[in-house]
Each structure stands twice: as structure tokens, then as C-alpha cells.
């Protein structure tokens, strides 16, 4: 007689095993799908690598065009570049893009944040006859650009909800009748989709042959696949239909292959010339630090970092998770003597604008913001971006951290990571399409102690690897890590979780860690709380554990449960390791960024640009002189107007030349006096050599330029 009890028992075991196999198959199928995706990305990458750098293939005709050759407008373009914009040489792809636009072609530009996209349409806008139409998503971005152009004496206007009646009249007259001086007109996408009046004036401008080019800035907003879709951008296809003969240039900092195709279709530019630059930002030093569990200690570290490395009031951003946290962190930083204020979506537009203005004009050092402090930021000399909490994906982290160093000078991106923060984020993003998958991408980035941070970005954006030049913490300190086999601990953790689940209970990550701490007593090695947290996250990333979410009326709770690959750990088939970095003190880490302090003359010129912008009103200090220009002035110390012109161009020389030369002269004569008092035992020759050495030690990293930026 067969024992039914036994059969039932075996049936249960078989069912459990089947479930286990099915779970594993699911994991492998997911993995297979990702590998197929990656395979096609890599194939596409290989194809694009085979196209030579200067022969950019025309997407439609398949013919090669050389946009780096000589063109009839070369010398005029060089003149405008230097003498109007004060830019001494082009950066990668700028000249080629300008040539394509000047040749009347539609162009799609993918160029990293701070790569210099604005020049690509502003320079042709000045050179071509008529009015250029620029579509840009945010009022603050538009105001910033118009102010900057006005400071250069370029007739630029904007037509937005804030435009005065007089200005509106002027703009409409200029469009309709060609009266008045108008070269560049900024609008938000709503103007195109909602204002019939505006479109009819634009039509008249076009019919009279006075529309010079159309530019769609932040073009990724067109695509639903992009990271910042805006519905009004969807209607911009009308521009090419209405004005087919006008060159259209679409620009964005990041666009996957899918987004690029989407943009070409939506904007109706199938025959466009595409310029894709690297996502690499060689001047940014990336680092991740373990975030202490005590809030006050995090602030202490951040304050020390800022005071130690940025004592000359250099600008920075601190990103926080919530509005409340922004206010708290800003207050605590102020308590430590740092000039900081907060910025988030709950504030009145007016006070938000005020904070932004104070920061842009150098009166406030640090903005503590939520992600709402985003695309509108146009400040080129942000020296550090600190993430108090991790971002929700690699893409958003690239965008947010990328607000540092848009002027090409060395800058730092520091992310504070604590596993508990990952769980805070996961309960916010789990309902988004691919939300958890994206979050786990950045969590992997944070957990890694050995992989180059830059390589993680190259991998994410499917780009061939480039040298990091030790511009990330992992490349700088890759040898100083310790690996610990914690397979035994993982096994205990999984069984503990199974027991909990069998009793119909649930635990959050922190509860699990607390329970583990008790079980872990006396284990070899006995893991500390933060190591146990790290282990939980590691096991979630490896599908040994998984997160589950439960909604209440007010919040969403994230729990940790047993995942599809738990059996592998229980059966000892999976080795689990955690990696930790041997303790480095923060000052040593700071040194790694190869940043140099501003010289005394640089500080004086910085003061001068603030004064000049305040006197002039309506422009920011960086529009008077950029930080790279200040560096060059300080190292080359021009004496004559002509010498100055070679560094900052004619226009700025005419406007500010005498004050700048005066400042340099004053500095030189004060220094000479000091020299005379200096220790006479130090020969002049000795001092000169010393000065030379100091100068050559200055290790500036600038965004790669097509010529020497001088
Ligand atoms: N060839 C150049 N040489 C030196 N500086 C340049 C050059 N081109 C642009 N810049 C400067 O680089 C900074 C960033 O330029 P820009 O605002 O055009 O960047 P962007 O590509 O539009 O970035 P984002 O995606 O963040 O908007 C500006 O201060 C600009 O003046
Ligand atoms: Mg831009």
C-alpha cells in the first residue's frame, strides 16, 4: 500500500522544485533578452566606429561629406568666434556642425553637457541673414541665454509669457516687416503649438526669406523614450513642414539610438547630418563615498569637503532626496558657516528665482536642491556636485552630476551612498517603466569599489571605453580594496528570511539587518551593520533576494523577500563576496582630483567680473569673463589691448579691457613690491625657477578642443 502522505510530501517537493526551476528560467530569459539588446547595441557601435571621425556619413544618401574641410565662411566664422564670443578655438565637432548648418543642411547633434552646443547654432545665427528661431524648453534657460547674448551685443529676444507688450510689438514687427534689429529669437515650444498669431508672423518672415535657421535645444524632450518628455515638443514637426527650406538643428546631451531615430522622425529631418560626440567628461572626477548612518556626520563630511577644497567660494550643488531634506541640509550647512540655500518645487516661483539668481551671480555658494533644480541651470563654473542621496538611474546621475564643470575646468562629482537610501528610492520608482532595473544600475555603480566609474557610463551609453586618467576614485585607489567571502552569511540570511516568510511575516531591509546582527554574533568574520546592509543590496542585485512593495493610504513600503536564485546560495552553488575599500581619509581623496587652487590674480579677476556684472546689471559674472578666460589672463598676463584681444576677443576687450588691464597691472606692481621685501637670500633665478615649476605643475584638464585652446 502506497503511503499517500509520502506521495503528497514528494508532490510538494517536486512542485517547489518546479517553481524554483521556473523562477530560474525567468531570470535566465530576462538575462538572455538583455544580452540580445546589448549584442545589437555593440553591433551598432562597431558599425559607427568603422566610420572615420571626419567622414560623417549622411544617413540618407550614404555619401560621405567632409565637414572639416575649408569653407568660404571660415575666416568670418573665426572672426565672430573670437571677437564676438571671445572663444579662442573650437571644441570637438563644433566647427563641423557649424559648417553643415551654414551649408543649409539639417543637423542632429548629440554632445555632452557643457560640450558647447549653443555656439553651434548661435554662430551660424549671426552669420546667416535673417532671424534664427530657437526653441528651448524652460523660461529660465531662455532668460539666461538671452542675457548672455545681450552682454555680447547680439540682438537676441525672447517671446514668452514674461515678454513685455513693447517687446512683443517689436518682435512681431521684425518678423513681419523686417524692421528693427533681431537676429535670434527664443521661444518655448508652447508658442509653436498654441499661438496661431506667432505662427502666422513666422510664416510671413519665412515667405520674405528672412528666417535663417531653426534650432531645437534640449531636443530629447521630443521623445517619449527620453528622460524628460514634454508634450509640447511633440508638435515641433510642424516647423519642417511649414518651413522646409530652412536648416533645422536639433541638439541634446544624451540620446540613445532609439531616441535619435525618434527625433529624426518627429522633427521630420530624415536626411539630417548626425554628429555624435562622446559622453565622456574628462574634467570631472567621479567618486562615491559611504554615507554615514548618522545624518549629522554626513553634513560634517560635506561641510569639510567644501571648506577644504572650495574655500574660495566656488559654486556647487548638493542634491537631496526630498524637499524637507533640502531645507534641513541647507540649514545645517549654514550652521557650519557655508553660504547655502535650498531650492525645490514647493517654493513660490519668486523665491525660487531669487535663490537661483543669488547663486548664479556668485552671492550664494551652494544650492541644496531636489531634482527640480535641473535643466534650467546654465552656470558654467559649478565646481562640485554632491549627491546627498543617490539618483534614480545612471542616466539621471549622468545628467545631474554633469552640471559640474561645463566650462571644461576640473570639477568633482561626489555621491554619498548608503544601502538604506536605495530602498528609499526603490519605493518611489518601482511603478515606473524599468524603474527598478534603472535604479539597480546606479546601485551597482555605487557598490562597485573596483570598476572605473567612467567605464560604467561608457557601458551604459554603449560607447567604446576611453582612458579615465585616474579621474575617478576606483581608478585612483583600485589596489586598496579588501574582498571578503560572505557566502556563509548569505546562506544564513536567506534561511532567516525563509523562516520569516513561512510565519507569514515581512521585513524591511533594516529589520532584516537587525535580525541578522543577532544571528551573526560570533560568526567569522562578524559583519558590521553597514556590511550587512551592503550584503542585502548585493543579494538583491544578484536576484538571490528581491524587493516587494506594499501600498498604504499614505506611503509605499518596500520589503525584502526570497528571490529566484536563493536556492543557489542555500545549496552552496554561489559564492558571495563583499568588497570594501581600506579606509582613506577624506583629504587624501580630495587630493586625487588634481584640482588646483585659484591663484591670487585669479581671485582678483573673479572679484572684478562680479563687480562689472553688478554695475552693468542683468548679466552674470561668467558672461563678463569665463573662468577659463580668467585662468588664461592670469597665466599670460596681457599688457596691451591687442594682447588682451587675443585672449578674450574684441568685444569684451572694448567693454571691459581697461579695467582688466588695470587690475593685472596693479597686481603685478604689488607683487613686485612684495618681491623686493622677500628673502634676499633667495636669488632671483631661484625664485623664477620656483615660479616656473609651480606653473608647470598646474595640471588643468580641459575638454578636448580641435585646436589648442591657448
Ligand atoms: N570652443 C570653446 N572653447 C571654450 N569654451 C567654450 C567653447 N564652446 C563653448 N564654450 C563654453 O562652454 C560652456 C558650455 O557651453 P554650452 O552652454 O553651449 O554647453 P551645452 O553643450 O549647451 O551644455 P548643456 O547640455 O549643459 O546645455 C559655456 O560657458 C561656453 O561659453
Ligand atoms: Mg545647452
Amino acid at each position: 500500500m502506497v503511503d499517500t502522505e509520502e506521495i503528497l510530501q514528494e508532490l510538494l517537493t517536486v512542485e517547489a522544485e518546479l517553481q524554483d526551476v521556473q523562477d530560474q528560467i525567468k531570470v535566465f530569459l530576462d538575462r538572455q533578452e538583455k544580452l540580445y539588446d546589448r549584442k545589437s547595441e555593440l553591433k551598432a557601435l562597431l558599425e559607427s566606429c568603422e566610420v572615420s571621425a571626419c567622414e560623417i556619413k549622411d544617413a540618407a544618401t550614404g555619401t560621405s561629406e567632409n565637414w572639416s574641410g575649408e569653407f568660404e565662411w571660415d575666416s568670418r566664422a573665426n572672426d565672430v568666434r573670437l571677437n564676438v564670443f571671445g572663444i579662442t578655438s573650437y571644441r570637438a565637432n563644433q566647427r563641423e556642425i557649424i559648417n553643415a548648418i551654414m551649408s543649409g543642411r539639417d543637423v542632429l547633434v548629440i554632445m555632452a553637457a557643457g560640450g558647447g552646443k549653443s555656439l553651434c547654432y548661435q554662430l551660424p545665427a549671426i552669420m546667416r541673414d535673417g532671424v534664427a528661431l530657437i526653441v528651448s524648453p524652460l523660461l529660465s534657460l531662455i532668460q539666461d541665454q538671452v542675457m548672455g547674448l545681450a552682454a555680447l551685443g547680439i540682438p537676441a529676444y525672447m517671446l514668452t509669457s514674461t515678454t513685455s507688450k513693447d517687446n512683443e510689438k517689436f518682435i512681431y514687427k521684425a518678423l513681419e516687416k523686417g524692421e528693427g534689429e533681431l537676429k535670434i529669437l527664443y521661444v518655448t515650444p508652447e508658442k509653436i503649438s498654441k499661438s496661431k498669431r506667432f505662427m502666422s508672423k513666422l510664416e510671413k518672415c519665412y515667405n520674405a526669406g528672412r528666417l535663417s535657421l531653426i534650432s531645437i535645444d534640449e531636443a530629447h524632450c521630443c521623445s517619449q523614450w527620453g528622460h524628460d518628455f514634454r508634450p509640447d515638443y511633440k508638435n515641433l514637426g510642424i516647423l519642417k513642414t511649414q518651413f522646409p527650406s530652412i536648416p533645422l538643428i536639433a541638439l541634446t546631451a544624451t540620446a540613445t539610438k532609439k531616441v535619435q531615430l525618434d527625433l529624426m522622425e518627429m522633427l521630420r529631418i530624415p536626411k539630417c547630418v548626425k554628429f555624435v560626440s562622446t559622453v565622456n567628461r574628462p574634467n570631472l572626477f567621479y567618486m562615491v563615498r559611504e554615507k554615514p548612518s548618522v545624518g549629522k556626520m554626513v553634513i560634517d563630511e560635506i561641510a569639510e569637503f567644501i571648506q577644504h577644497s572650495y574655500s574660495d567660494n566656488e559654486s556647487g550643488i548638493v542634491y537631496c532626496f526630498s524637499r524637507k531634506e533640502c531645507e534641513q541640509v541647507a540649514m545645517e550647512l549654514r550652521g557650519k558657516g557655508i553660504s547655502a540655500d535650498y531650492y525645490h518645487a514647493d517654493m513660490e516661483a519668486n523665491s525660487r528665482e531669487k535663490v537661483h539668481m543669488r547663486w548664479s551671480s556668485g552671492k550664494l555658494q551652494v544650492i541644496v536642491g531636489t531634482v527640480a533644480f535641473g535643466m534650467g541651470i546654465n552656470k558654467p563654473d559649478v565646481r562640485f556636485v554632491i549627491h546627498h542621496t543617490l539618483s534614480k538611474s545612471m542616466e539621471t546621475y549622468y545628467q545631474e552630476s554633469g552640471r559640474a564643470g561645463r566650462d571644461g575646468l576640473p570639477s568633482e562629482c561626489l555621491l554619498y551612498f548608503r544601502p538604506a537610501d536605495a530602498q528609499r528610492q526603490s519605493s518611489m520608482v518601482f511603478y515606473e517603466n524599468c524603474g527598478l532595473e534603472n535604479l539597480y544600475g546606479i546601485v551597482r555603480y555605487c557598490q562597485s569599489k573596483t570598476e572605473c566609474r567612467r567605464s560604467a557610463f561608457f557601458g551604459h551609453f554603449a560607447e567604446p571605453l576611453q582612458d579615465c586618467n585616474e579621474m575617478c576614485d576606483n581608478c585612483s585607489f583600485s589596489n586598496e580594496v579588501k574582498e571578503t567571502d560572505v557566502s556563509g552569511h548569505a546562506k544564513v540570511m536567506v534561511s532567516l528570511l525563509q523562516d520569516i516568510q513561512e510565519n507569514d511575516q515581512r521585513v524591511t531591509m533594516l529589520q532584516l539587518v537587525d535580525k541578522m546582527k543577532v544571528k551573526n554574533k560570533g560568526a567569522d568574520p562578524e559583519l558590521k551593520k553597514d556590511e550587512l546592509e551592503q550584503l542585502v543590496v548585493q543579494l538583491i542585485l544578484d536576484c538571490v533576494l528581491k524587493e516587494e512593495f506594499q501600498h498604504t493610504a499614505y506611503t509605499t513600503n518596500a520589503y525584502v523577500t526570497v528571490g529566484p536564485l536563493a536556492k543557489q546560495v542555500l545549496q552552496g552553488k554561489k559564492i558571495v563576496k563583499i568588497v570594501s575599500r581600506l579606509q582613506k581619509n577624506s583629504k587624501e581623496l580630495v587630493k586625487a582630483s588634481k584640482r588646483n587652487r585659484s591663484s591670487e590674480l585669479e581671485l582678483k579677476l573673479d572679484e572684478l567680473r562680479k563687480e562689472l556684472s553688478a554695475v552693468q546689471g542683468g548679466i552674470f559674472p561668467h558672461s563678463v569673463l569665463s573662468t577659463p578666460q580668467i585662468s588664461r589672463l592670469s597665466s599670460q598676463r596681457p599688457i596691451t589691448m591687442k594682447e588682451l584681444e587675443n585672449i578674450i576677443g574684441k568685444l569684451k576687450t572694448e567693454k571691459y579691457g581697461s579695467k582688466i588691464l588695470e587690475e593685472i597691472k596693479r597686481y603685478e606692481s604689488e607683487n613686485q613690491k612684495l618681491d623686493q621685501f622677500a628673502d634676499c637670500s633667495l636669488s632671483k633665478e631661484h625664485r623664477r625657477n620656483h615660479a616656473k615649476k609651480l606653473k608647470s605643475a598646474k595640471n588643468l584638464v580641459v575638454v578636448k578642443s580641435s585646436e589648442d585652446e591657448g
Side-chain angles (χ1 to χ4, degrees):
M1 181 84 184
V2 186
D3 182 353
T4 49
E5 194 55 34
E6 234 173 65
I7 298 176
L8 268 177
Q9 197 57 46
E10 188 176 345
L11 187 62
L12 280 177
T13 320
V14 169
E15 272 175 353
E17 255 185 62
L18 263 178
Q19 182 61 46
D20 183 37
V21 170
Q22 275 162 4
D23 286 345
Q24 290 195 39
I25 291 175
K26 187 178 171 304
V27 171
F28 284 126
L29 284 175
D30 284 352
R31 179 86 192 125
Q32 175 176 296
E33 201 179 317
K34 275 189 202 126
L35 286 172
Y36 275 133
D37 279 355
R38 182 72 184 146
K39 185 177 159 190
S40 50
E41 268 174 11
L42 289 172
K43 274 188 161 174
L45 195 62
L46 206 59
E47 271 169 36
S48 65
C49 287
E50 280 160 9
V51 179
S52 107
C54 43
E55 284 184 341
I56 293 137
K57 277 216 160 196
D58 181 341
T61 60
T63 54
S64 297
E65 286 156 306
N66 180 6
W67 299 108
S68 349
E70 283 181 19
F71 288 86
E72 55 178 295
W73 47 78
D74 280 349
S75 76
R76 242 184 90 216
N78 286 339
D79 179 53
V80 175
R81 171 178 47 73
L82 176 65
N83 290 317
V84 178
F85 289 96
I87 286 178
T88 46
S89 60
Y90 290 115
R91 286 186 186 155
N93 276 352
Q94 282 181 321
R95 178 164 181 266
E96 290 75 9
I97 295 166
I98 289 166
N99 286 337
I101 289 279
M102 290 300 292
S103 308
R105 297 292 300 273
D106 297 328
V107 177
L108 175 61
V109 176
I110 322 288
M111 189 189 277
K117 291 183 283 295
S118 317
L119 187 78
C120 298
Y121 59 82
Q122 288 172 349
L123 195 144
I126 294 171
M127 303 236 291
R128 288 175 71 94
D129 289 335
V131 182
L133 176 74
I134 321 293
V135 182
S136 179
L138 291 181
L139 198 62
S140 61
L141 263 183
I142 293 180
Q143 280 166 339
D144 214 74
Q145 297 258 338
V146 170
M147 259 166 69
L149 289 168
L152 299 174
I154 298 162
Y157 288 82
M158 57 184 184
L159 196 58
T160 65
S161 53
T162 60
T163 307
S164 68
K165 278 274 162 265
D166 279 355
N167 271 359
E168 188 179 288
K169 241 191 201 159
F170 167 85
I171 292 164
Y172 281 153
K173 250 190 183 165
L175 290 178
E176 200 170 17
K177 305 196 175 111
E179 288 171 15
E181 253 205 294
L182 171 63
K183 280 309 287 178
I184 303 186
L185 178 62
Y186 280 88
V187 296
T188 49
E190 297 83 74
K191 266 282 173 255
I192 312 285
S193 57
K194 302 216 172 85
S195 170
K196 287 209 173 84
R197 183 162 174 233
F198 172 68
M199 284 307 278
S200 101
K201 304 276 177 192
L202 206 56
E203 184 91 44
K204 285 185 181 144
C205 178
Y206 171 73
N207 289 335
R210 274 187 270 104
L211 189 57
S212 65
L213 66 90
I214 297 168
S215 163
I216 317 286
D217 206 359
E218 313 287 350
H220 57 272
C221 297
C222 291
S223 170
Q224 299 209 41
W225 310 110
H227 51 84
D228 202 358
F229 171 63
R230 313 233 149 180
D232 277 307
Y233 259 74
K234 232 175 48 193
N235 305 318
L236 295 182
I238 191 175
L239 290 170
K240 198 70 213 174
T241 317
Q242 301 261 83
F243 315 119
S245 62
I246 306 300
L248 186 145
I249 172 169
L251 314 100
T252 174
T254 42
T256 55
K257 277 253 145 57
K258 200 167 168 181
V259 173
Q260 289 173 27
L261 289 174
D262 212 17
L263 292 184
M264 282 160 66
E265 197 183 319
M266 295 183 81
L267 296 172
R268 298 176 198 156
I269 47 169
K271 296 184 181 177
C272 67
V273 193
K274 218 162 74 170
F275 294 90
V276 183
S277 315
T278 171
V279 294
N280 191 16
R281 304 282 311 277
N283 57 319
L284 299 189
F285 189 97
Y286 294 102
M287 52 189 155
V288 177
R289 283 202 201 156
E290 273 166 36
K291 182 174 172 180
S293 52
V294 183
K296 192 184 152 303
M297 278 169 71
V298 188
I299 302 294
D300 287 349
E301 273 201 24
I302 293 180
E304 193 200 326
F305 172 82
I306 296 173
Q307 279 161 340
H308 180 264
S309 300
Y310 300 99
S311 53
D312 292 331
N313 208 35
E314 293 95 334
S315 304
I317 305 173
V318 176
Y319 277 113
C320 290
F321 180 71
S322 66
R323 296 159 195 190
K324 214 172 113 211
E325 209 165 65
C326 284
E327 297 184 12
Q328 181 75 17
V329 170
M331 190 181 75
E332 291 180 16
L333 285 177
R334 269 202 307 274
K336 302 230 155 236
I338 292 170
S339 128
D341 214 336
Y342 60 87
Y343 182 108
H344 57 65
D346 257 359
M347 296 159 70
E348 248 185 50
N350 213 358
S351 18
R352 226 173 30 206
E353 194 45 32
K354 261 194 197 149
V355 175
H356 190 179
M357 277 292 178
R358 275 170 53 223
W359 180 71
S360 297
S361 54
K363 290 177 190 138
L364 179 73
Q365 184 179 16
V366 179
I367 273 205
V368 185
T370 56
V371 287
F373 189 56
M375 207 158 49
I377 311 164
N378 219 14
K379 194 165 166 44
D381 51 2
V382 177
R383 292 278 76 88
F384 58 94
V385 173
I386 300 175
H387 277 74
H388 182 268
T389 308
L390 80 166
S391 311
K392 61 179 189 172
S393 68
M394 285 297 281
E395 189 129 341
T396 44
Y397 183 60
Y398 177 78
Q399 298 281 341
E400 288 156 12
S401 60
R403 286 170 190 135
R406 291 169 68 257
D407 56 10
L409 295 181
S411 307
E412 292 175 291
C413 307
L414 168 58
L415 192 162
Y416 276 97
F417 175 67
R418 183 156 67 101
D421 283 351
Q423 196 152 45
R424 267 210 302 180
Q425 280 283 24
S426 68
S427 48
M428 303 291 293
V429 302
F430 80 98
Y431 64 88
E432 286 177 18
N433 196 10
C434 302
L436 272 185
E437 196 184 308
N438 290 337
L439 176 66
Y440 292 162
I442 177 96
V443 173
R444 239 175 234 116
Y445 171 93
C446 296
Q447 288 267 75
S448 169
K449 307 279 190 310
T450 47
E451 193 201 354
C452 165
R453 308 280 182 207
R454 242 177 203 83
S455 301
F457 287 121
F458 294 136
H460 182 79
F461 291 110
E463 204 181 284
L465 298 188
Q466 292 174 47
D467 204 343
C468 176
N469 290 318
E470 300 206 335
M471 285 292 281
C472 81
D473 51 359
N474 285 351
C475 287
S476 301
F477 311 116
S478 56
N479 299 330
E480 299 159 45
V481 292
K482 185 181 83 177
E483 267 192 355
T484 314
D485 187 332
V486 290
S487 308
H489 304 74
K491 206 169 169 178
V492 174
M493 191 179 273
V494 174
S495 344
L496 175 65
L497 208 45
Q498 272 181 337
D499 290 347
I500 293 170
Q501 279 174 249
E502 272 163 21
N503 287 327
D504 277 339
Q505 286 177 342
R506 293 173 153 217
V507 278
T508 62
M509 179 201 286
L510 293 182
Q511 288 164 342
L512 176 61
V513 166
D514 280 344
K515 287 186 191 295
M516 258 310 275
K517 248 173 46 193
V518 181
K519 282 236 166 203
N520 179 49
K521 277 229 154 51
D524 180 29
E526 190 174 322
L527 299 184
K528 292 201 278 298
K529 184 168 182 259
D530 51 348
E531 287 170 322
L532 286 170
E533 284 182 7
Q534 195 186 336
L535 176 61
V536 179
V537 171
Q538 185 70 43
L539 293 177
I540 292 174
L541 295 179
D542 289 348
C543 300
V544 171
L545 304 183
K546 68 174 197 276
E547 287 187 279
E548 271 180 13
F549 301 91
Q550 191 192 39
H551 316 279
T552 69
Y554 307 101
T555 178
T556 303
N557 295 320
Y559 296 102
V560 185
T561 62
V562 171
L565 296 190
K567 274 244 168 87
Q568 304 235 333
V569 168
L570 288 175
Q571 292 165 356
K573 289 185 192 154
K574 186 175 168 59
I575 293 179
V576 185
K577 285 182 178 169
I578 53 173
V579 184
S580 48
R581 185 176 288 137
L582 301 173
Q583 210 54 44
K584 272 262 150 210
N585 88 29
S586 53
K587 280 180 190 143
E588 269 174 272
L589 279 173
V590 167
K591 250 201 295 185
S593 69
K594 300 180 185 171
R595 214 182 67 83
N596 293 284
R597 275 191 182 288
S598 308
S599 71
E600 214 176 302
L601 179 54
E602 282 171 327
L603 293 179
K604 292 207 166 248
L605 291 169
D606 178 45
E607 277 309 310
L608 178 68
R609 71 174 166 176
K610 282 186 193 151
E611 275 165 34
L612 289 173
S613 77
V615 170
Q616 177 136 347
I619 59 166
F620 292 127
H622 59 77
S623 304
V624 174
L625 281 179
S626 70
T627 310
Q629 280 173 336
I630 286 190
S631 286
R632 250 173 271 139
L633 289 174
S634 150
S635 63
Q636 296 180 17
R637 307 211 185 148
I639 296 171
T640 64
M641 288 288 191
K642 190 74 212 142
E643 285 172 355
L644 186 60
E645 237 178 75
N646 290 334
I647 301 173
I648 62 170
K650 237 184 221 145
L651 203 124
K652 286 189 181 183
T653 304
E654 272 166 21
K655 271 191 162 170
Y656 316 115
S658 55
K659 293 255 187 238
I660 296 172
L661 290 182
E662 224 173 79
E663 190 66 55
I664 295 176
K665 205 168 148 195
R666 189 175 323 129
Y667 172 82
E668 296 253 281
S669 70
E670 275 171 15
N671 250 21
Q672 259 173 14
K673 270 186 219 151
L674 277 179
D675 266 4
Q676 284 162 8
F677 286 119
D679 184 0
C680 299
S681 64
L682 212 60
S683 74
K684 226 179 188 172
E685 187 62 18
H686 186 127
R687 262 183 281 144
R688 207 172 296 134
N689 280 341
H690 183 63
K692 248 191 206 161
K693 263 190 215 152
L694 277 180
K695 223 172 176 183
S696 61
K698 230 184 167 192
N699 182 13
L700 285 187
V701 182
V702 286
V703 170
K704 196 173 152 242
S705 67
S706 47
E707 299 159 42
D708 182 11
E709 288 196 29

